[in-house]
Amino acid sequence: LEQARRLLARHLRLVKPAEHVAGRAWAFRHAVEVDATTRFARMAERLARIGTPAPLVELAAASSRDESRHAEYCAELAERYRAPLLTEPVVASEIAPARLSFRKRVLYEVAAVCVSETESSVMLVTLMGETSGDMHALLREFSRDEVKHARFGWAVLASHKDTDDLSFLATWIPWMLRATTGDSFVEETRGPEDPALTKHGVLPYSARRRVFLKTLEDMVFPGLEALGVDADPSRAWLAKSLA
């Protein structure tokens, strides 16, 4: 998915019609949702293994079903815009550092859910203010689910706060950000700026970047600190990236 994201971003810089850009974006989102479907299902099994409360394990499984539904919507939109879906099979790779213990790798991936789903929630709310009709209704449905997924992630970390030392995440969150969203700061991966994209459910590059920064500063970093995770290393990474 990382390579696909970079290829997509480079491609989108070269094309102009908003409908074509939107189609490619929805096709890429389909791959992301398929990946998330598998990832949440796998997470449910792993959370059960590390003793996460059963209601939260079920929420992981429910999140997988949500993402499967999202993937179907994305495929329909890609088809509507005449954009081909990615042909490569989507495999949910291991994103946690291999040197971590199994338990910490699971918690690391939960933290990644907190970051990605919180950002996605803010992005969707931003887009809802710019859309109408069927697209607005679809984004509202997505938003409700993404908010649930973000709350699920934060609730899992909170449930392990007293039994697991979450402070190790302070070292690895910058690595996570660099691996998953660091290309937001790389010139060659910047996307299009066409304001017409918003009515098709796609944020222009500068708006996506603003959402990313605001989400980190206003929600992710404070959320980590509330769990006893030092956010200063992540803030330092962000400051360096912006420079």
Side-chain angles (χ1 to χ4, degrees):
L1 283 180
E2 176 66 20
Q3 182 181 12
R5 178 168 58 243
R6 290 179 178 273
L7 289 173
L8 174 65
R10 284 197 291 272
H11 171 74
L12 294 186
R13 293 179 64 206
L14 301 176
V15 295
K16 296 299 183 183
E19 291 83 356
H20 185 64
V21 175
R24 299 294 295 180
W26 283 107
F28 176 72
R29 288 178 184 174
H30 170 263
V32 172
E33 301 290 0
V34 171
D35 175 85
T37 299
T38 303
R39 196 170 296 282
F40 272 116
R42 184 177 69 188
M43 184 177 291
E45 299 173 357
R46 292 178 173 181
L47 289 175
R49 288 176 59 184
I50 66 171
T52 304
L56 292 176
V57 174
E58 173 51 36
L59 280 178
S63 296
S64 177
R65 295 190 290 272
D66 291 340
E67 301 291 11
S68 179
R69 175 165 39 84
H70 293 179
E72 293 177 3
Y73 291 149
C74 291
E76 291 172 5
L77 277 167
E79 181 179 5
R80 184 183 307 174
Y81 286 106
R82 296 185 174 87
L85 299 180
L86 297 177
T87 57
E88 294 296 323
V90 178
V91 179
S93 60
E94 297 288 353
I95 64 170
R99 72 182 69 177
L100 296 176
S101 67
F102 173 78
R103 193 175 190 87
K104 287 184 176 180
R105 290 200 303 273
V106 176
L107 294 173
Y108 174 98
E109 191 155 8
V110 173
V113 166
C114 295
V115 174
S116 62
E117 300 295 305
T118 301
E119 180 193 4
S120 180
S121 299
V122 178
M123 180 191 72
L124 288 165
V125 169
T126 303
L127 277 168
M128 284 168 58
E130 303 291 334
T131 54
S132 59
D134 291 343
M135 182 60 72
H136 181 85
L138 177 65
L139 295 177
R140 184 172 63 240
E141 180 175 342
F142 276 26
S143 177
R144 284 198 299 262
D145 290 338
E146 300 298 81
V147 168
K148 287 190 304 182
H149 302 168
R151 288 175 175 170
F152 151 79
W154 291 111
V156 171
L157 292 184
S159 75
H160 284 271
K161 181 182 177 182
D162 295 332
T163 56
D164 293 89
D165 182 4
L166 301 179
S167 64
F168 80 95
L169 290 170
T171 300
W172 292 105
I173 295 295
W175 188 85
M176 175 196 302
L177 295 174
R178 183 167 57 250
T180 59
T181 57
D183 60 347
S184 296
F185 303 100
V186 179
E187 179 69 29
E188 68 174 6
T189 62
R190 293 185 177 187
E193 288 292 349
D194 187 351
L197 286 170
T198 55
K199 68 179 181 181
H200 302 288
V202 179
L203 278 180
Y205 167 78
S206 59
R208 286 192 293 110
R209 178 169 161 142
R210 284 196 300 271
V211 166
F212 171 60
L213 296 175
K214 182 174 178 60
T215 302
L216 290 180
E217 291 288 3
D218 294 353
M219 304 177 75
V220 172
F221 294 161
L224 291 171
E225 289 171 333
L227 294 168
V229 179
D230 184 7
D232 284 346
S234 296
R235 289 193 174 94
W237 171 84
L238 184 60
K240 182 178 179 181
S241 297
L242 291 173

